Amino acid sequence: MITLESDQQMKELQNNESVIFLFSADWCPDCRVIEPFLPELEEKYTAWKFVYVDRDQFIHICAENDVFGIPSFLAFKDGEEVGRFVSKDRKTKEQIEEFIIKLDQ
């Protein structure tokens, strides 16, 4: 998983990739729970590029995209938002996989 480094990089990824942004933070306990199985999801769903977005570093991007809880996921394809799994609730591997599978339908 790559880590978002700039606003410009986010725009480029949104417009040129099938990308899932993971909004997270180091201090978030629910975010730590999903970390162990994220590499497995990346391997399984290779049609998607996964990008870590540090909520604290990019709080303005969170606000612009109505991401007020973490961990949360936003998916973009061809410059359009195609899915969002946004809430403050803890997410299971199964819930995240269900979200990804629906993106391809």
Side-chain angles (χ1 to χ4, degrees), residues 46-84:
T46 57
W48 293 95
K49 179 176 281 194
F50 291 77
V51 179
Y52 176 90
V53 181
D54 184 299
R55 173 235 179 249
D56 295 332
Q57 184 179 356
F58 293 102
I59 192 72
H60 61 285
I61 291 177
C62 293
E64 291 165 8
N65 290 282
D66 296 323
V67 175
F68 297 110
I70 55 174
S72 286
F73 298 85
L74 284 183
F76 288 84
K77 193 174 196 173
D78 302 322
E80 298 292 323
E81 183 180 316
V82 294
R84 64 175 38 232

Side-chain angles (χ1 to χ4, degrees), residues 13-60:
L13 290 166
Q14 283 176 333
N15 292 325
N16 301 311
E17 303 276 351
S18 295
V19 61
I20 297 174
F21 294 100
L22 163 59
F23 291 83
S24 186
D26 290 342
W27 51 262
C28 166
D30 290 339
C31 301
R32 301 290 73 76
V33 168
I34 68 172
E35 276 183 355
F37 58 79
L38 289 175
E40 181 184 331
L41 294 179
E42 281 187 275
E43 280 184 34
K44 188 172 181 178
Y45 301 101
T46 57
W48 293 95
K49 179 176 281 194
F50 291 77
V51 179
Y52 176 90
V53 181
D54 184 299
R55 173 235 179 249
D56 295 332
Q57 184 179 356
F58 293 102
I59 192 72
H60 61 285

